Amino acid sequence: MELHLHRLDYTQVGVTSQKTMRLLPALGKKSTQKVAIADHDGVVTCFGMKKGEAVPVFKTLPGAKVARMDLGGAEGTPQEKIFVCSGSQVRGFTKKGKQFLTFEANLTESINALHVSGADLFVCASYIYNHYCDCKDQDYFLSGDKINDITCVSSEKLPHLIPVLACQDRVLRVLQGSELSYDIEVPGPPSVLELFNKDGGEEVLYGTTDGKIGLVQIGDCDAATKWEIGNEKRKGGILCIDTYDIIGDGVNDILVGRDDGTVEVYGFDSSREPTLRFEHVLTESVTSIQGGCVGKESYDEVLTATYTGWVTGLTSEPQRAEAVQGDEVRLSKETQSKIEALSAELEQLQVKVLQGREQYQQSSQSSTAVSAVPVFSINDKFTLCQDDASYSLTLEVPTAIDNLLLQSDVPIDLLDVDKNSAVVSFSECDSQQPNGNFLLATYRCQANTTRLELKVRSIEGQYGTLQAYITPRLQPKTCQVRQYQIKPLSLHQRTHSIDPDRPMNQLSLVGQFSFAEIHSWVVFCLPEVPEKTPAGESVTFYFHNTFLGTQIEATYCKGEGTFKSDNISTISILRDVLSKEATKKKINLNISYDINDDSVSHTLRMIHPKLEYQLLLAKKVQLIDALKELQVHEGNADFLIPEYRSILDESANLLEEYKKQPAHLDRLYGMITDLLIDKFKFKGKNVRTKVSSMLQILDHYDLNSLLDFFSEP
């Protein structure tokens, strides 16, 4: 069944956080619903639609930034009480706007996730989970990694409410009281949770920061994964999920909002598998999504709130326009009056802008006036993409971006992004100078660009800082700086388990260091490690390299640490960085290592398919110009062998792929060179003189010749 939805913009509030908009329950079966939304100014707004206009029900005074919103009420009654959290405080409002609750949770950190069920209040702040009943403390839990969201499962089969936490370390933690009952491994860091059935049930939907969606059935002692949807098209991360029967087939559909502005509706086929039925792209990240009836009675719609506070409906109401002779369109009276009202409002705004500019010009020339720097918020995300082993940097600003300057003190490659229409220019850098730059790039944005997406790829072993200077189109000119750490093993990602049968090298550390100190060194070296020191006496983390597929096992405790990897270069980087960090703290380390020679040939075999593919791609790209010249000269390409004809046919795709992967071949050559140097470095030999011989073998690449070269003493 095809789904046709039409976009309608309702109103705009301030900048919003994730899950800060809710639809209040409808009074009648087909009547319209009121919308409650909260923003970073601390204002809670409730409005309804009347004759196409947003009519406010209530609006609170500004205050601290609102991080989450949920609806609640006594069991068996409509869930129409509005709960919001700001800092460590939870406030409750009736549907008329009367504040009936102010609850101070007395947490040291701000609440970032909230769930209300009857008299039970569940709040999470970074690593801490608290459960209150009638505002009295009930349960407490300290998580091993940051908590991104919370929901609670209840059904007749379960003895009590079961809280489920979405944690950054790719795990859903299921609690019983103050204890961990069990955890569920998911394919990415979960960012949002939603009950599949709002009336209760054991099924929970999750969305991940890398764009995957799944459904798990929560039991008393264990859970079962029902299905998962991957992210082959590399869309944005999931920020919000809701369930609502928008298609009208009697089965709840899944509504999804992503951080790249994509809104999706998934329906279910006869085999109960989710299929994409509708997709719409907004220009900014979708922070909240709800299904219901807002604009007009009897017409369902998908309601979204975006980062800059736009409340937009995708309605099933047909947008009629009667075409008459020529290209003229006869508009309804309602539409005409709406256009006239908008035109009048636009004229008023233009007058206000002119007046404001005149006032600014006068005050800027005054000797007593003080210039205030305009404050603007930035929504930024720096994440490692598993598919292409690159970092995605997303920057979003409420006003249009004028330009962006990227500065890096470590070598990184900038990769092409299809969605990015900004003009990039590079400045010359002198990396030999102390504190010199390896990259200085300026992006000049087109008009009204509020969101920018960039991709960079780092080199393992080279670590430092990437800085982004964001300048919006504001007067007076102002700029904000954001810093992102490029870690020594930046292309590694946390995983739940590793392959124990691979040939592993081992690095062992012994010294007078505390558990917190060695944990801080691991945080410095590897991404996705929680900054907070884990509970307990020792900890083990597993990682895999997104570029090569090699792995790391890190186990450490007070005074001792063991690091295992099937890549000798990884062990070499860890040894250099850890000893450097220990020297800074004046800690004497006893370092020992156990090198497995089989691991070198194993790593070369893992590099082999990538290297072979890149060499073949480079060879094909080199032939394209010559083949095109032959084609022009001969008039057609029929005389060419099938292999060359296919190169001509696919020339556009080949060139695009080659362009998207700059320095890919050089990167692989660099890894093989490092492997050679590191293998013999652990044996106390310097083989830099052998590098030129190895590069000659790579120019006429053959895996067996390379393996023989590495096995030479």
Side-chain angles (χ1 to χ4, degrees), residues 471-517:
T471 310
R473 292 181 195 270
L474 286 175
Q475 292 297 337
K477 272 278 181 264
T478 183
C479 172
Q480 272 194 42
V481 187
R482 286 283 193 271
Q483 289 191 337
Y484 309 97
Q485 295 306 314
I486 307 285
K487 302 202 174 188
L489 294 170
S490 54
L491 299 182
H492 280 75
Q493 199 172 57
R494 280 275 293 277
T495 185
H496 299 299
S497 59
I498 57 169
D499 178 3
D501 299 328
R502 292 188 185 181
M504 302 290 267
N505 306 289
Q506 182 170 310
L507 172 73
S508 301
L509 310 177
V510 178
Q512 295 295 312
F513 49 79
S514 67
F515 188 25
E517 279 172 330

Side-chain angles (χ1 to χ4, degrees), residues 398-414:
T399 51
I401 302 169
D402 184 37
N403 65 72
L404 166 76
L405 173 69
L406 270 192
Q407 178 258 331
S408 172
D409 57 6
V410 285
I412 56 170
D413 297 330
L414 280 181

Side-chain angles (χ1 to χ4, degrees), residues 161-173:
L161 270 177
I162 295 183
V164 183
L165 310 180
C167 300
Q168 187 64 24
D169 53 355
R170 294 177 161 76
V171 162
L172 304 182
R173 289 185 166 86

